[in-house]
Amino acid sequence: MKKLRNTLMLLLCLMLSAAAALGEPQCMYVDLPGDFAPYGGGWGLSEDGSVWVGGGFGTPGQTRGGLLRVSLDGSCADVTPEGDRMEGLYGEVIPLEGDSCIAVRSVRTENGYTDYLGRLDAGERAWQMEVPGSGPVHLCRIGDGFLMSCKPASGAVEIRRMDFSGGETWRIQLKERIVIEGMLAGEGWHVAYGMKYEEQHADGSGQNTTPVLLAFDDAGRLLWKWESARYDCHGFVAAAWREDGGVVALEQSGAIAFSPEGEVEWTYETDSRRRGLAAVEGGFLLASISGSGEVHAEFLDAGGALRREEYIPTGRNWSGCTPFISGGDAYVLLESIYAGSEGLGLMKLDAE
């Protein structure tokens, strides 16, 4: 494992908040090694609270894959395997125990990119397999293994149940034109969310997409599917479990709550685009980032009613934000896809 090449500087600042409902959020700016940027690669939360972030070193089109581990105190380590500075990017990652993880990396070839799935143990590659077709590739931990969604050359999107040694238990093939944006693993049943492409416009100007949610059991059997009747929105971008066993999914215009049987139970509508969702005690946290770098945090109760909201300035510009829960505390991971600029930020919220 390569040691961090540069001395990292951590700037800790108290953020301003107009209301005291969230207390005073603390935002830690994490200076990244070299010219690293997430480039929308993916991230994963480990049991010890550290955040593993995939991305690359360099500029768009000329990146060398990179993998970082960021602690909640703002310290950062480069955990890219020695000799693995391939042209391309690291994507989604599932942290395991210690210094191990399952990760996706996209390697540049003469014909584009080839995706590889593999396991890293203390910086050494334990195994690796090529993922056929083209991305995106998404991962989700499930018990003693994980789920992977991919799009093979056949064009039919697949969801596979795999173990940590790369063995496959089952796979589902989705015949419709569906793009998976993420998955959730639960007790006895799981969900995949994303968008479905509709028919091409008659004038050739493009095609609409609609949010879609798929529920399937431990054997890979499809239980139910829900898709919106609206064709003017992109798709679901995040989801979280409800305490009663249902699920809440987030799309551009707000959140939709489903029962375990797939019935819509409540909706929460909003005018601005939401980028992240996390379940908190008694409800849900929604987060988005404005063009001026302001975080919009909303807390909903279990029934979908707005409990309170905050607009929190960060003083920097960010490309995206993702809320998550660690040790009972709520955080927002802030990221910029541009190398050598804003890097990463961690904002801690008062979830009480």
Side-chain angles (χ1 to χ4, degrees):
M1 181 178 68
K2 186 172 182 178
K3 299 288 187 181
L4 185 62
R5 297 172 300 172
N6 302 329
T7 301
L8 301 179
M9 180 179 67
L10 177 65
L11 173 62
L12 174 63
C13 65
L14 291 177
M15 304 306 299
L16 300 176
S17 178
L22 294 180
E24 293 188 354
Q26 292 182 339
C27 186
M28 294 178 287
Y29 301 112
V30 183
D31 287 323
L32 305 180
D35 51 356
F36 180 90
Y39 291 115
W43 68 282
L45 182 66
S46 68
E47 293 183 356
D48 66 4
S50 59
V51 179
W52 292 56
V53 181
F57 296 87
T59 57
Q62 297 180 334
T63 55
R64 307 177 314 280
L67 191 61
L68 301 184
R69 184 173 62 194
V70 180
S71 298
L72 295 183
D73 63 2
S75 58
C76 176
D78 181 355
V79 292
T80 311
E82 287 283 356
D84 198 23
R85 305 291 186 183
M86 78 296 175
E87 285 193 65
L89 296 169
Y90 268 91
E92 294 210 353
V93 56
I94 299 178
L96 304 177
E97 65 284 348
D99 294 328
S100 298
C101 71
I102 302 291
V104 175
R105 62 179 190 141
S106 297
V107 180
R108 179 183 292 277
T109 65
E110 293 181 356
N111 300 318
Y113 286 89
T114 299
D115 292 322
Y116 293 91
L117 174 73
R119 173 168 177 157
L120 302 176
D121 290 327
E124 298 293 331
R125 192 169 305 285
W127 56 264
Q128 177 176 277
M129 60 179 289
E130 181 177 338
V131 180
S134 58
V137 179
H138 294 289
L139 305 177
C140 175
R141 182 160 185 173
I142 171 175
D144 58 353
F146 60 98
L147 301 172
M148 179 184 72
S149 67
C150 60
K151 184 180 179 182
S154 64
V157 173
E158 293 182 351
I159 299 175
R160 306 182 188 185
R161 171 69 153 91
M162 307 186 71
D163 59 37
F164 293 141
S165 63
E168 180 180 319
T169 304
W170 50 256
R171 70 174 66 181
I172 306 172
Q173 283 195 335
L174 308 176
K175 302 300 182 182
E176 298 173 287
R177 299 185 63 196
I178 292 175
V179 175
I180 300 299
E181 295 291 345
M183 295 169 287
L184 284 178
E187 295 294 332
W189 70 291
H190 324 290
V191 297
Y193 54 88
M195 59 186 174
K196 175 184 174 183
Y197 280 93
E198 299 302 318
E199 294 297 324
Q200 189 83 11
H201 295 169
D203 60 3
S205 60
Q207 58 195 127
N208 291 324
T209 62
T210 182
V212 64
L213 189 90
L214 306 167
F216 49 97
D217 64 16
D218 281 332
R221 294 183 293 257
L222 187 66
L223 300 176
W224 52 266
K225 180 183 73 171
W226 183 92
E227 60 183 85
S228 174
R230 296 171 47 205
Y231 301 119
D232 58 347
C233 45
H234 296 286
F236 287 123
V237 297
W241 292 115
R242 298 169 58 187
E243 292 181 354
D244 62 1
V247 65
V248 174
L250 186 67
E251 49 108 343
Q252 181 168 327
S253 61
I256 304 175
F258 299 89
S259 70
E261 295 74 35
E263 299 294 328
V264 175
E265 298 199 338
W266 55 259
T267 61
Y268 174 76
E269 295 187 358
T270 183
D271 294 331
S272 59
R273 185 173 183 177
R274 292 293 170 263
R275 296 186 182 272
L277 167 72
V280 297
E281 184 175 356
F284 303 92
L285 167 63
L286 281 66
S288 65
I289 193 79
S290 71
S292 61
E294 193 174 51
V295 171
H296 184 194
E298 295 171 275
F299 284 87
L300 309 183
D301 65 21
L306 179 63
R307 207 160 66 194
R308 66 184 183 273
E309 66 181 324
E310 288 286 341
Y311 292 87
I312 310 166
T314 67
R316 297 190 180 190
N317 293 323
W318 304 98
S319 303
C321 66
T322 305
F324 64 93
I325 307 300
S326 178
D329 294 319
Y331 295 84
V332 178
L333 176 67
L334 304 165
E335 62 179 10
S336 171
I337 63 173
Y338 303 106
S341 56
E342 310 299 346
L344 288 173
L346 285 169
M347 176 178 288
K348 183 177 180 180
L349 303 177
D350 178 8
E352 293 297 324

